[in-house]
Amino acid sequence: MANENIKPIPQPKGYPLIGNLLEIDPYFPMGFQTRLADLYGEIYSLQTGGPRIIFVNSHELANELCDEKRFSKKIGGGLKEVRNGVGDGIFTAYPGEHSWGVAHRILMPAFGPLTMRGMFDEMHDIAVQLSLKWARAGSDFTINAPEDFTRLTMDTIALCAMDYRFNSFYSQDLHPFLDAMSFFLSESGARSQRPGLVAPLFRSKDQQYWDAIAVLRKTSDEVVAHRRAHPSDRKDLLNAMLNGRDSKTGEQLTDSIITNNLITFLIAGHETTSSLLSFSFYELLKHPQAYERAQQEVDEIVGQGPITVDHLSKFKFIAAVLRESLRLHSPLTGLSVTPLEDTVIKGKYAIQKDEPMTIVLNRLHRDPKVYGDDALEWKAERMLDEPFNALPKNSWKPFGNGVRACIGRPFAWQEALLVMAMLLQNFNFYMHDPSYNLVIKQTATIKPKDFYMKASLRHGNSATKLEQALRGGNVVTADDHEKSKPTSKIAEPASKGKPMALFYGSNTGTCESFANRLAGSASSHGFQATVAPLDAAKENLRPDRLNVIVTASYEGEPPDNASHFVTWLETLKGQELKDVPFIVFGCGHSDWTNTFQRIPKLVEQKIEECGGKRIADRGLANAAAGDMFSEFEVWEDDVFWPSIQKNYGGEAGQGQTSTDGGLDVEISHTRASLRQDVSAGKVISKRTLTAPGAPPKMNIEIQLPTDMEYRAGDYLAVLPTNHKDNVERAMRYFGLNWDSSLTVSTAGSAALPTNTPLPAKDVFSAYVELTQPATKRNLATLIGFAQEQSTKDALKRTLEGDFAKQISEKRIAILDLLETYPDIKLPLGHYLAMVPPMRIRQYSISSSPLESPERCTLTFAVLEAPAFSGHGTYRGTASNYLATLEPGDLVHVSIKQSHASFHLPTDSESVPLIMVAAGTGLAPFRGFVQERSAQIAAGRKLAPAMLFHGCRAQKEDAIHADEFDKWEKAGAVNVFRAFSRHPEDAEGCKYVQDRLWKERKEARELFKNGARMYVCGSGPMGEAVKKVVQDVYIEGNKAAGKDVGADEAEKWMDSIRSERYAVDVFT
């Protein structure tokens, strides 16, 4: 190969002595590997004082490295440190090490098909222990999935391999061996990342490390000694090692080598399989269609009978689930290799003999050239037998490579299939936190961090009946156990009253608030109500109670805590819900024309089709109308309770406007902590982006909480606080001092914890919405507390007149009315029951993690204008909260993933971009272009990108213009602007859609070349851009001699939506 063809391998700029040490996170290597792969592409190298380490991220390069004639396994890094505990075990032996060959030849028969079948009963025994633990704990028990799967897999490998029982499910504390192993693995990884010059600083950890190794070896030595003293004819791994002879040399294994391999099997046999099970359940819970399909597969193949070893090969879809989980979340994050001789890969990267190289599996397994443009998405279907067998060679490597691949793969696969099937057969699972975003914990392997589930028994079973079935007793069905009620996430009410189950599907808290309001009123109508997420209604809509469903739609999809219920409902085909009484209330936003109210409509229609009995007409609240709370209350008063009274009897109050009840509140002067349903970040900087006099737009930079990760295009959810002026108004009205605390002792408010002292200032700041417009019910309540007849008359005129114009449109809050009519003596408890809970607000993140993975920025408009109510200034709660923050202030946030289509393409070298925005709709595209700029600076060649941005004027509010000009010069984007106040400065283009039409030739060419188009801004802007795109499509077809009309253009738009045309609109 001529020297001119050799290209340098990219490497970050380093520092004297330490090189690239600062790029490395010793406790989370996968983090820096992913970031640098995103930055540099298919290959890069790092140097930390010793030889460089080369990281390979594409299938094309990895395929070469898997050639065992050119490359061999490299025992280095963390694996080399693991040798401190397991020596020349089968996984850590050096290439060519004699003991490896002996052990490998002796052990291979022990993992054969017949031996695996013989281990099934013991695997089943431990899986039953796990199932019974969860069954007995009950449906409200929070399951630490990775921890319990670790107990399961450790107990399984110990029992099957060496007839040793750790009995992990019979003790709260882990066996000392397990604690020692966990520390040993974590510290081995950390030690491998530390340069020698800092090693003396870790003497205490070193002592712990060697102490842990001593525990591992002592326990294993005792197991070996016990078997030698008490021989058995078990066909397990321990006997294979004790009694086996090498077919080639006739040698037997020494006790030391046996101990090395026992520890190796315990490590490898439990860490990888527990990781696989944890990620598989995480992905199933995030993908309800796949969950339903996997559960149906078990039901069809096994029914409710015992699972046998012969069933396992029939679970084709569950096998695909496991393969796809291994693709995206390979427990081992890399394969370490080294060239046997100096070589060149891809014809241009020169590698020297013995140089350490790592195939980064989470990049190999996400290569879009192998897995397509949706390579980052979890799709089990791609791993069904036929497409899996058609994958290119060496594109799926979670079990390692070649002769050094995992010897225990058949064991792990049988165990995983059995456990998945048994759990899906007997339980319904739910996320403890439906909004949970995956966080990775890395030791020797990776697992989901803080991943919790809940489980409820299926088929009407109890824990006792389940034990009888799993232990070989009679098969249990609901008919066999007539008195047993279905295990549910909902605790049955203890007091008297007709039962009512309220289920909510909610991401932001609005539907949950509505459900709690109905629950608070239920007792006065003769009902005892329970409240639970809608997923708890799966297989749990019962005819012996009224089932009320309050749910929203999000771009036509169910909320996070309703997706499994909706998927289950869609699978019903007969009269499974015969005579189930139900009522549905739906929330949505009519700007999403094609999907408005899709989920509430679907729920109502499917329940009726399956025999359900609708008690009341479906209610509807439209966020676009601006006052969902009033719409809900009108439906509650005029439809909900009157319909219930008609069907169940009792007081209805029809024709009257109900009043709000109150909460029992005690005032004291003690302190308490603020709510913690989000995590605290810290403000780093803040700046104003617009000229003086222009509507203010700002940019704020936030240090994210630990373990919080994002992608360009995601949202940051912010829990705001009310403006201090409004908090002071509320405190002043109710006569509260700055140090007053409130204790709510009456249930009925989802916003406020009960029986817990809370600072009054915190309650008014963070728990409730002080500026929410008053509802008709609020006015009716205020009339009851007014002292003057003139006030009562005035409020009645408003209530009976044009309420929307006088209250809703002017956004007059309860606090405004209390100040307008000072004779209203409203108790604090009633006020807190009337105001809704504080909701999180979502903002598009305007930065890329490649710039700084620990930080993100928001670009937002500040809403501040004279109040229509006449009470001073109206301030948008969240935007003004952000605007008042200063560097060093804490802000409570969480990451919310955007739609899968609203992210940069995985193949950025070949997929062009077209981005269209107006105003602060530019935010996500700043993140996109910032990421592209960083990649170009690292030497990558990207496909072209166009950005269209509309604002008022170049010198007024062309936000981030200097940055985009710099990025344009770097080749990251071509920017086209429109100015509504000065179109002459934008080639006559007043609005962004005008500029898109002007540049349509270039945009059309990019789209022909596979471009993705993204639109972000207001609803009307989104519709205007859509119209231009359709016109461009029609014009292009006419130029090609095809007569295309508006209807066909609309169909074409539907066909590319969420694939090549992604929209994020806001109000």
Side-chain angles (χ1 to χ4, degrees), residues 715-831:
Y715 302 111
L716 189 72
V718 178
L719 178 67
T721 60
N722 291 299
H723 194 277
K724 63 181 179 62
D725 291 350
N726 291 326
V727 174
E728 290 173 1
R729 289 168 62 198
M731 297 280 284
R732 185 167 54 249
Y733 177 85
F734 290 106
L736 299 172
N737 297 324
W738 68 270
D739 62 345
S740 297
S741 288
L742 309 179
T743 302
V744 178
S745 57
T746 303
S749 172
L752 298 173
T754 56
N755 302 315
T756 301
L758 298 169
K761 187 176 181 181
D762 288 349
V763 170
F764 289 128
S765 295
Y767 282 85
V768 295
E769 301 264 6
L770 297 182
T771 58
Q772 176 70 32
T775 66
K776 286 187 175 181
R777 183 180 297 172
N778 296 156
L779 257 69
T781 301
L782 296 181
I783 290 171
F785 287 98
Q787 306 298 306
E788 301 290 339
Q789 188 60 43
S790 58
T791 298
K792 294 177 184 284
D793 294 342
L795 293 176
K796 284 181 180 178
R797 286 194 297 271
T798 302
L799 187 60
E800 296 168 359
D802 194 345
F803 176 86
K805 185 175 182 180
Q806 294 298 316
I807 301 294
S808 301
E809 292 178 11
K810 292 183 178 181
R811 300 195 63 81
I812 293 179
I814 299 171
L815 199 55
D816 298 325
L817 294 169
L818 293 176
E819 292 175 339
T820 300
Y821 303 103
D823 63 293
I824 299 175
K825 305 302 181 184
L826 183 69
L828 175 58
H830 279 72
Y831 179 73

Side-chain angles (χ1 to χ4, degrees), residues 12 150 396 743:
T150 297
W396 187 80
T743 302

Side-chain angles (χ1 to χ4, degrees), residues 162 198 208 377 768 959 1000:
M162 61 198 73
V198 302
Q208 286 180 267
E377 298 177 41
V768 295
I959 57 176
R1000 64 190 182 279

Side-chain angles (χ1 to χ4, degrees), residues 314 316-317 382 468 499 533 537 580 660 720 726 821 858 908 929-930 965 997 1029:
K314 300 176 183 179
K316 303 296 185 182
F317 188 74
R382 77 167 99 236
Q468 291 175 359
V580 169
D660 294 293
N726 291 326
Y821 303 103
L858 301 180
S908 53
V929 179
Q930 188 180 67
D965 290 346
W997 176 255
V1029 172

Side-chain angles (χ1 to χ4, degrees), residues 93-108:
Y94 291 118
E97 199 162 2
H98 178 73
S99 57
W100 179 85
V102 175
H104 190 263
R105 288 186 290 271
I106 289 175
L107 284 166
M108 277 299 289

Side-chain angles (χ1 to χ4, degrees), residues 89-167:
I90 201 164
F91 191 63
T92 52
Y94 291 118
E97 199 162 2
H98 178 73
S99 57
W100 179 85
V102 175
H104 190 263
R105 288 186 290 271
I106 289 175
L107 284 166
M108 277 299 289
F111 287 98
L114 288 177
T115 309
M116 289 301 101
R117 289 180 69 92
M119 292 182 178
F120 179 84
D121 288 344
E122 290 181 339
M123 289 184 177
H124 190 277
D125 178 4
I126 305 300
V128 168
Q129 291 182 32
L130 173 67
S131 298
L132 294 180
K133 173 188 174 179
W134 290 355
R136 291 164 178 158
S139 56
D140 288 327
F141 177 70
T142 300
I143 298 168
N144 184 329
E147 180 179 293
D148 273 359
F149 284 135
T150 297
R151 291 172 184 259
L152 168 99
T153 53
M154 177 59 78
D155 281 17
T156 301
I157 186 67
L159 180 60
C160 293
M162 61 198 73
D163 195 24
Y164 188 90
R165 288 187 180 269
F166 284 112
N167 288 324

Side-chain angles (χ1 to χ4, degrees), residues 694-713:
K697 295 177 175 62
M698 305 185 75
N699 179 266
I700 188 169
E701 184 176 18
I702 296 171
Q703 177 83 35
L704 293 172
T706 304
D707 294 330
M708 200 170 280
E709 299 177 350
Y710 72 98
R711 293 168 61 192

